[in-house]
Amino acid sequence: MFLGVVGFQHALVLVSVAYSVVTTHLGERATFIQPIKASFKSNVGRLLWLAIIHASLHGLESFFFMKSIFGGVMEVSKTEDLVLRLASNPFAFLAPFMDVDATSIGMAIRIGAFVGFDYLFDGIAYCIYVVACWVTIMERNYWGIGALSRSFNLVETKRYQAFIIRLIETVVCGRSSRWLLQQVFGQLGSALMICTFRIFFLVCWLVFYISARAFHDLPSSFSYQTLEDFLDRFK
């Protein structure tokens, strides 16, 4: 239930951001309430489906690495506690050899390998997921597996740019940054700053999607008319 509410809110934010950015880019004016109204008129169910798939894949990915790296080395309960702690400790990935569970060099290497692989594959999955969200919002004929497939092709078209955006986003909005901001600005201040940063990077991913689509679809079918058609859906 909680994940459903979070996914629903994220879907509304995505549509609101898309409406606001496109409206501004076309030189039109939008009131504060218009992006919110547009988000409720959109088909958020398709975005919820993508969110569920992304969360499920992330869980399977972590489970796979947990079993592959720590399987047979530790008890199941201890392994689950270790993986949960590594996912919540902001500095766990910085010093695996100093971790409390690094009782040997072999275990330290396993801890470092788990955190490294988890970050890498989670980053790749997130790039495809967030671009798939923009595909679903901007292109009505793509959703579900089709949106994920098109997203993969778009990310592959500009993979280095996607890597740079995701790397900067991970540094700015990652667990370590949240922890540091909490020490300086407190819980509320850090939450507001992280939310602002996340909105900024959502806009970055939208710009990336537009750029990748214009480059990928040659001869390009993307034009101002495409953006105007998008806004017409909410009138």
Side-chain angles (χ1 to χ4, degrees), residues 42 58 98 120 122 141 157 159 178 190 193-194 207:
S42 64
H58 178 68
M98 299 177 61
L120 176 63
D122 180 60
N141 55 326
T157 300
R159 54 186 176 274
R178 289 201 300 269
S190 64
M193 294 183 70
I194 289 296
V207 173

Side-chain angles (χ1 to χ4, degrees), residues 14 17-26 127 130-135 137-139 154-155 157-158 161-162 165 169 198-216 222 227:
L14 284 168
V17 168
Y19 186 91
S20 300
V21 171
V22 172
T23 301
T24 303
H25 182 67
L26 293 178
C127 290
V130 71
V131 175
C133 288
W134 293 128
V135 170
I137 292 171
M138 301 297 294
E139 304 180 60
L154 293 177
V155 171
T157 300
K158 290 183 172 288
Q161 291 88 335
I165 294 174
E169 183 178 10
R198 288 198 176 279
I199 295 296
F200 170 78
F201 281 105
L202 284 179
V203 175
C204 289
W205 281 113
L206 175 56
V207 173
F208 170 85
Y209 157 76
I210 293 174
S211 174
R213 180 180 173 183
F215 185 81
H216 180 269
F222 189 82
L227 298 179

Side-chain angles (χ1 to χ4, degrees), residues 89-151:
N89 185 352
F91 295 108
F93 67 97
L94 295 178
F97 289 92
M98 299 177 61
D99 193 87
V100 294
D101 287 305
T103 54
S104 65
I105 294 179
M107 182 56 69
I109 292 174
R110 290 175 185 272
I111 291 173
F114 172 81
V115 175
F117 282 122
D118 188 60
Y119 264 73
L120 176 63
F121 283 87
D122 180 60
I124 295 173
Y126 180 80
C127 290
I128 296 174
Y129 160 70
V130 71
V131 175
C133 288
W134 293 128
V135 170
T136 302
I137 292 171
M138 301 297 294
E139 304 180 60
R140 303 178 72 175
N141 55 326
Y142 288 101
W143 75 284
I145 299 299
L148 290 172
S149 176
R150 178 156 173 79
S151 172

Side-chain angles (χ1 to χ4, degrees), residues 77-89:
S77 59
K78 291 184 178 180
T79 301
E80 292 176 350
D81 291 340
L82 172 61
V83 170
L84 183 62
R85 183 174 59 77
L86 291 176
S88 59
N89 185 352

Side-chain angles (χ1 to χ4, degrees), residues 4-65:
V5 172
V6 172
F8 181 74
Q9 291 177 338
H10 187 247
L12 295 181
V13 169
L14 284 168
V15 179
S16 297
V17 168
Y19 186 91
S20 300
V21 171
V22 172
T23 301
T24 303
H25 182 67
L26 293 178
E28 300 182 12
R29 285 194 170 189
T31 62
F32 175 78
I33 200 66
Q34 282 180 313
I36 300 175
K37 290 173 62 177
S39 65
F40 281 99
K41 289 182 180 180
S42 64
N43 191 346
V44 296
R46 295 182 174 185
L47 294 174
L48 282 173
W49 188 92
L50 287 176
I52 292 172
I53 292 298
H54 177 246
S56 300
L57 289 177
H58 178 68
L60 290 173
E61 163 216 317
S62 297
F63 179 77
F64 171 77
F65 288 130

